[in-house]
Every structure is written in structure tokens, then in C-alpha cells.
């Protein structure tokens, strides 16, 4: 089976062709970072319009690269949610229209399920069951994964997610959008232990996350300590360390609670080198395993949507012709495969 995957949930247009025997045949990605940089964040209407402009040319390019004709496509997968409703409708409308024209099934994919399964694109791939830490944009969640669609929510962010806190703190430090990667780069120049930031919600039981207070702590520190370059780097390092250690503490608790010793991290923040090193060290000590996608598949991409859609289509799941989008969509509501 050969699948076309379409990702348009936010500010990146991702297209991929995936074959269940040959694997990933091609993938294209267009980022709208420059478009939104002047506004300091994503402008939903501009994002939707740019998806309209880019999605068809990227589909054509991906199919050419994969040496694939329309008659070779057995199904179309698109991101149905969660995300920006206008952006989702672009992918949904195009995906369903192509499926109708090509007389193949279409399937709507949950964006976070795509991230969760992204490590499956590499070898070795994780095997079920495992605990997944999903840190993508506005989401931070811990999930017990017994199989595809067999998800138990263990904890999630109650306010700002880790990615949002990274971007907002980066803005306070005067960094450009998107600030998370720039903050991590600045942190490399920081002086260890000059500042110590709190590890939010680690002094109480439970697996939920809260990063808004950490952002406020960073804002107060910036205001009180001045804004010379070294101080900014020191604050960036203290902030990053607090986020990384908080995530690691919660992951360790989740593994202990579930009795599992296999961890998957995915989503944009999973590309953070400090987070990977911390979790690798933690899992090595416990003789466990940790998996994460290659860097290009940490952020939004069509490959993860094509792979997740493939699993759903192989199980006989597909959508009708009405172009629906689900800006809010609980992960644990998905049917099992």
C-alpha cells in the first residue's frame, strides 16, 4: 500500500509518500517561519492562505521524487486535528478531494498520534508498550501506549506547554521567532548554576505539567538582573535546565507508575539536545530504552502523517467526503487498531 500524507495543522506544510514495503519514498516540507516572524507568532489567517499556495506544488514535487503516479496511490492521509481550524481545513479539503478524484480512501490523522508514531520511521523502532512524552507546540503530555489507538493519558500541561514556555521566554530575552531553538543555542553560552529556577509541580504527586509560573520567574529574573548578553545566556541556561529536569522527573515517575522501562519522546521540543542527553542518561541508569525521531521528523511533517494514516487505513478505517476539521480532539478518544 502506498499513501500520500498531508500535514497542515499550523505553520508548516508537509507532504510525504510512504509505502508499507519500501518505507518512506519522499517528503517535502515548507516552513512559514519567515512569514510569521514579523508578528512574533503564528497568524492563523496568513497560515491558512500560505497552505493554499504551497500544498499542491509540494504534492506534485513529492510524487515526482517518489516516481509515483496518481494510479499508484492507494490512500490519502491528512491531519484532521488538533490545530488551527483554517489550516486544518486546507489539508482536509485537498486530501478528501484527491481521494475522491483518485477513487481511493481518505483518513484523518490525529496530529499528536502522528508525533507519537514518528520514531517508527527509523530503525530500530520502539515496540509496544511504552511511555510517550509528547512535547509539541501547545502540548505537553505523558501517555501510556499499549498499541496504536490504545492510549492512557497519564499527565498533561494545565497551562503553558513546554514549547510555549520556551518561545515566550525567548521573546522576553529579545530573541526572534520561533524562539525555542534560539534559546537552546543561547543556553550553550550560559554559566552553570548562576541562577536556579524552580522545577514546577515536582514537589507534589502527579504527572501534570505547568510552565507558566516558570516563564514568570524568568521574566522577573530578567527584569531584576539586567539584560547584558552573558546574563541572558545564564538565564537561558537556567530556564532550559529547569524545563529539562522537570520533564525528566515526570518521565521517571510515569515509568515507575506503569512498570515500564521503554520511553519515547516526540514533538518539536524532543529535538532539544539537553533533553535527549538527560533522558538517555536516566534510561541508561535504569537499563531502559529511549527512542526519538530523527531531527527532521521532530517538528510537524508529512512523513509522520503518512505513516500514522497507513496504520489506520490498513485497519480499514477511513473518512467520508465531508471536509471536517477537529481543532480540539482528545488523543485518548481514538479507536484502537
Amino acid at each position: 500500500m502506498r499513501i500520500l500524507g498531508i500535514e497542515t495543522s499550523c505553520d508548516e506544510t508537509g507532504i510525504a509518500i510512504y509505502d508499507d514495503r519500501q518505507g518512506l519514498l519522499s517528503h517535502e516540507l515548507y516552513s512559514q517561519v519567515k512569514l510569521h516572524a514579523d508578528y512574533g507568532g503564528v497568524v492563523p489567517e496568513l497560515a491558512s492562505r500560505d497552505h493554499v499556495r504551497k500544498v499542491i506544488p509540494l504534492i506534485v514535487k513529492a510524487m515526482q521524487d517518489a516516481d509515483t503516479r496518481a494510479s499508484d496511490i492507494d490512500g490519502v492521509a491528512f491531519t484532521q486535528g488538533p490545530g488551527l481550524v483554517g489550516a486544518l481545513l486546507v489539508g482536509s479539503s485537498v486530501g478528501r478531494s484527491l481521494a475522491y478524484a483518485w477513487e481511493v480512501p481518505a483518513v484523518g490523522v490525529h496530529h499528536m498520534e502522528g508525533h507519537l508514531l514518528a520514531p517508527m520511521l527509523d530503525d530500530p523502532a520502539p515496540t509496544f508498550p511504552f511511555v510517550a512524552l509528547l512535547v509539541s507546540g501547545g502540548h505537553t503530555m505523558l501517555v501510556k501506549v499499549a498499541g496504536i489507538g490504545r492510549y492512557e493519558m497519564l499527565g498533561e500541561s494545565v497551562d503553558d506547554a513546554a514549547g510555549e514556555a520556551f518561545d515566550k521566554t525567548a521573546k522576553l530575552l529579545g530573541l526572534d521567532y520561533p524562539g525555542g531553538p534560539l534559546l537552546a543555542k543561547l543556553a550553550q553560552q550560559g554559566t552553570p548554576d548562576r541562577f536556579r529556577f524552580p522545577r514546577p509541580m515536582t514537589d507534589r504527586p502527579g504527572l501534570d505539567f505547568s510552565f507558566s509560573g516558570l516563564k514568570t520567574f524568568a521574566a522577573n529574573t530578567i527584569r531584576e538582573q539586567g539584560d547584558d548578553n552573558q546574563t541572558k545566556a545564564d538565564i537561558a541556561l537556567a530556564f532550559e535546565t529547569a524545563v529539562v529536569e522537570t520533564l525528566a522527573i515526570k518521565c521517571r515517575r510515569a515509568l515507575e507508575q506503569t512498570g515500564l522501562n521503554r520511553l519515547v519522546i516526540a514533538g518539536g521540543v524532543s529535538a532539544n539536545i539537553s533533553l535527549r542527553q538527560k533522558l538517555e542518561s536516566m534510561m541508561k541508569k535504569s537499563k531502559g530504552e529511549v527512542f526519538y525521531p530523527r531531527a527532521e521528523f521532530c517538528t510537524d511533517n508529512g512523513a509522520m502523517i503518512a505513516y500514522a494514516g497507513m496504520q489506520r487505513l490498513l485497519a480499514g478505517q477511513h473518512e467520508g467526503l465531508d471536509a471536517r476539521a477537529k481543532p480540539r480532539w482528545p488523543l485518548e478518544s481514538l479507536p484502537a487498531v
Side-chain angles (χ1 to χ4, degrees):
M1 179 178 281
R2 187 167 295 189
I3 301 295
L4 167 67
I6 304 172
E7 155 62 20
T8 62
S9 65
C10 189
D11 61 343
E12 288 170 313
T13 311
I15 306 295
I17 307 293
Y18 187 87
D19 187 281
D20 64 344
R21 289 176 295 179
Q22 301 178 55
L24 185 64
L25 301 181
S26 67
H27 68 99
E28 299 290 329
L29 184 67
Y30 176 78
S31 174
Q32 301 176 2
V33 165
K34 292 182 180 178
L35 175 66
H36 301 289
D38 289 343
Y39 304 95
V42 178
V43 181
E45 180 62 25
L46 295 181
S48 303
R49 293 180 182 181
D50 211 47
H51 285 308
V52 171
R53 286 190 289 265
K54 300 297 183 182
V55 65
I56 296 299
L58 288 176
I59 291 173
V60 171
K61 179 67 164 55
M63 293 183 68
Q64 290 174 341
D65 290 347
D67 192 23
T68 295
R69 300 181 298 274
S71 58
D72 299 321
I73 297 294
D74 300 301
V76 179
F78 58 90
T79 305
Q80 190 171 16
L84 302 175
V85 64
L88 291 169
L89 282 171
V90 175
S92 175
S93 300
V94 171
R96 282 187 168 89
S97 298
L98 289 175
Y100 177 74
W102 295 342
E103 299 182 328
V104 297
V107 62
V109 173
H110 193 292
H111 182 75
M112 298 309 295
E113 181 172 67
H115 277 301
L116 188 153
L117 298 177
M120 303 292 185
L121 293 164
D122 289 315
D123 188 24
T127 55
F128 303 112
F130 55 78
V131 169
L133 170 66
L134 303 180
V135 275
S136 171
H139 300 87
T140 300
M141 58 180 72
L142 278 165
V143 185
K144 180 182 177 181
V145 182
I148 297 175
R150 298 170 61 193
Y151 307 132
E152 178 186 347
M153 190 67 61
L154 302 174
E156 58 189 326
S157 49
V158 298
D159 43 49
D160 282 357
E164 290 175 313
F166 262 105
D167 286 341
K168 291 177 179 179
T169 302
K171 189 173 184 179
L172 292 170
L173 289 167
L175 302 176
D176 292 334
Y177 171 86
L182 296 178
L183 186 149
K185 184 177 180 180
L186 179 62
Q188 295 175 2
Q189 305 168 30
T191 305
D193 301 322
R194 179 182 172 188
F195 300 109
R196 177 176 172 82
F197 283 19
R199 278 58 171 161
M201 294 183 72
T202 58
D203 59 348
R204 68 188 77 173
L207 295 171
D208 286 336
F209 301 92
S210 170
F211 292 104
S212 63
L214 189 60
K215 175 200 65 183
T216 302
F217 192 95
N220 292 336
T221 305
I222 293 168
R223 184 174 62 253
E224 294 168 2
Q225 298 295 327
D227 59 356
D228 64 277
N229 291 336
Q230 187 57 54
T231 296
K232 286 183 177 181
D234 297 343
I235 291 172
L237 176 58
F239 174 83
E240 180 185 56
T241 300
V243 173
V244 166
E245 291 192 357
T246 298
L247 293 174
I249 290 169
K250 297 287 186 170
C251 285
R252 184 173 64 249
R253 287 183 184 176
L255 292 165
E256 292 172 351
Q257 178 177 310
T258 59
L260 299 175
N261 208 19
R262 189 178 298 116
L263 177 67
V264 165
I265 57 171
V269 181
S270 71
N272 183 280
I273 300 301
S274 295
L275 177 60
R276 291 191 177 198
Q277 291 174 340
K278 181 71 174 180
L279 294 178
E280 285 176 356
S281 175
M282 181 183 80
M283 296 307 290
K284 185 177 181 180
K285 290 179 181 177
S286 66
K287 295 181 171 56
E289 298 176 287
V290 61
F291 299 86
Y292 39 74
R294 69 184 88 160
E296 62 188 317
F297 295 147
C298 288
T299 55
D300 297 347
N301 63 88
M304 68 181 192
I305 301 304
Y307 181 84
M310 172 77 74
Q311 310 313 308
R312 295 284 171 185
L313 286 171
L314 286 172
Q317 299 178 21
H318 56 85
E319 305 292 335
L321 292 178
D322 52 323
R324 293 174 296 136
K326 298 181 179 181
R328 296 182 182 275
W329 190 6
L331 180 65
E332 59 270 33
S333 69
L334 295 178
V337 168

